[in-house]
Amino acid sequence: MTAYDVIVLAGGAAKRLGGADKPGVRVGGRALLDRVLAACAGAVRTVVVGGRRATARPVVWTREVPEGGGPLAALGAGLRLTTAEYVLVLSADLPFLGPGTVDALLAAAGRTGREGALCTDPDGRDQPLVAAYRAEPLRRELALIATEHGSVAGLPLRLLTAELDLARVEAGPDAAFDCDTWDDIAAARARIREHGAVLDEWMTSVKNELGIDLDVDTGLLLDLARDAAHGVARPAAPLTTFLVGYAAARASAGAGPEEAAAAVAEAARRATALALRWEAEASAAGDTADGAKPDAGREGTGTP
């Protein structure tokens, strides 16, 4: 995979949010900034341009000069602290940005002759703050703009992107969705609670909250919970999944994420088999109570 640094622009006045601390606004229980940081966890160095705050993973902090000097000034401040050949540039208000989009941008930026790649939204608009750039052309063009205008403060990003040979990557409906207004925030919060997304969003949020880097088979755990609830009793579902997690943690102590995921799968398989045996015994007991023939495997053995 291409080695890269990332610059996250987390400053700005957030005027359309009434001056609220936009990077700290929570969507799905996680700050917008933390959601963006999760998407680029593979970066060699992460530079955040904005006010210091607690974050889910370590970052390098800096501020643009002058503060409030706009995106080009912020980009220049962040770029001075990077060393990788490729630089991912992101705004801090992208609730649905994922690693897949990051990988696609880096792959497109690495094509021969290209100086970077940026996302386009579903309406075909360029998104220069959802982009990957080669660092050398980025530094070159920022220096030329500063020379021509005397400073980059207050200047629009299009002055930069217009001079670069950039590939375009279609972002889809979610990757480039940014939160500029409270209506955007409300829409993002509603979207993660939609039926097809809510479980994945919840699992991701819990793993981030607990510091767990583990891919598990959610369907397997849900099947286990269903079988425990149906074959034993409804409260058995959460208790059983807890015990499966505890057993998997003990079995994989000191192991890596892949071994831990395998331990979860094995513990879930064994617990599911147990729940099905309980269900089978309950069914057999019910049949016997109704006058049906007892289990043939035990007939005539003298077993009480």
Side-chain angles (χ1 to χ4, degrees), residues 77-167:
L79 197 58
R80 285 192 287 272
L81 298 176
T82 64
T83 58
E85 180 182 358
Y86 291 91
V87 179
L88 188 69
V89 178
L90 304 170
S91 61
D93 62 349
L94 303 166
F96 303 117
L97 181 71
T101 300
V102 169
D103 292 344
L105 286 168
L106 290 168
R111 292 175 189 151
T112 302
R114 293 295 191 179
E115 295 177 317
L118 50 73
C119 276
T120 57
D121 66 19
D123 295 323
R125 294 181 297 244
D126 287 347
Q127 302 295 320
L129 295 183
V130 192
Y133 301 95
R134 287 183 52 219
E136 186 278 326
L138 204 58
R139 291 189 173 94
R140 179 195 70 216
E141 293 303 327
L142 277 171
L144 289 173
I145 292 170
T147 299
E148 181 180 354
H149 295 273
S151 169
V152 296
L155 298 179
L157 273 169
R158 65 176 178 273
L159 291 179
L160 175 68
T161 55
E163 300 300 326
L164 296 171
D165 181 8
L166 302 174

Side-chain angles (χ1 to χ4, degrees), residues 275-297:
L276 293 176
R277 292 198 299 270
W278 273 60
E279 182 181 7
E281 290 179 12
S283 297
D287 290 343
T288 302
D290 292 336
K293 185 178 181 180
D295 186 348

Side-chain angles (χ1 to χ4, degrees), residues 3-283:
Y4 70 97
D5 291 336
V6 60
I7 302 169
V8 182
L9 275 57
K15 293 180 179 178
R16 286 191 280 177
L17 288 176
D21 174 24
K22 182 162 68 168
V25 172
R26 296 185 180 275
V27 172
R30 290 188 291 158
L32 285 171
L33 175 57
D34 282 338
R35 296 181 73 91
V36 172
L37 293 177
C40 54
V44 176
R45 169 173 284 194
T46 299
V47 180
V48 180
V49 186
R52 297 175 70 91
R53 68 190 67 237
T55 52
R57 64 179 180 85
V59 303
V60 177
W61 294 97
T62 191
R63 290 305 302 258
E64 71 274 26
V65 179
E67 290 189 16
L72 282 185
L75 181 55
L79 197 58
R80 285 192 287 272
L81 298 176
T82 64
T83 58
E85 180 182 358
Y86 291 91
V87 179
L88 188 69
V89 178
L90 304 170
S91 61
D93 62 349
L94 303 166
F96 303 117
L97 181 71
T101 300
V102 169
D103 292 344
L105 286 168
L106 290 168
R111 292 175 189 151
T112 302
R114 293 295 191 179
E115 295 177 317
L118 50 73
C119 276
T120 57
D121 66 19
D123 295 323
R125 294 181 297 244
D126 287 347
Q127 302 295 320
L129 295 183
V130 192
Y133 301 95
R134 287 183 52 219
E136 186 278 326
L138 204 58
R139 291 189 173 94
R140 179 195 70 216
E141 293 303 327
L142 277 171
L144 289 173
I145 292 170
T147 299
E148 181 180 354
H149 295 273
S151 169
V152 296
L155 298 179
L157 273 169
R158 65 176 178 273
L159 291 179
L160 175 68
T161 55
E163 300 300 326
L164 296 171
D165 181 8
L166 302 174
R168 266 65 182 177
V169 174
E170 292 185 6
D174 291 334
F177 182 95
D178 57 359
C179 294
D180 290 326
T181 68
W182 286 114
D183 284 345
D184 294 336
I185 297 291
R189 288 171 171 169
R191 190 173 301 184
I192 67 169
R193 291 182 175 273
E194 291 175 356
H195 176 70
V198 64
L199 285 179
D200 286 341
E201 285 284 350
W202 172 247
M203 292 292 287
T204 299
S205 294
V206 171
K207 287 189 287 186
N208 277 274
E209 186 72 19
L210 300 180
I212 299 171
D213 181 17
L214 179 66
D215 288 326
V216 296
D217 187 338
T218 304
L220 183 68
L221 293 177
L222 289 175
D223 287 345
L224 165 61
R226 178 201 62 205
D227 292 335
H230 181 69
V232 184
R234 291 185 65 84
L239 294 173
T240 304
T241 52
F242 164 76
L243 291 173
V244 162
Y246 181 75
R250 291 186 61 185
S252 61
E258 291 185 3
E259 291 83 358
V264 171
E266 173 60 15
R269 183 194 65 76
R270 293 175 63 182
T272 296
L274 177 61
L276 293 176
R277 292 198 299 270
W278 273 60
E279 182 181 7
E281 290 179 12
S283 297

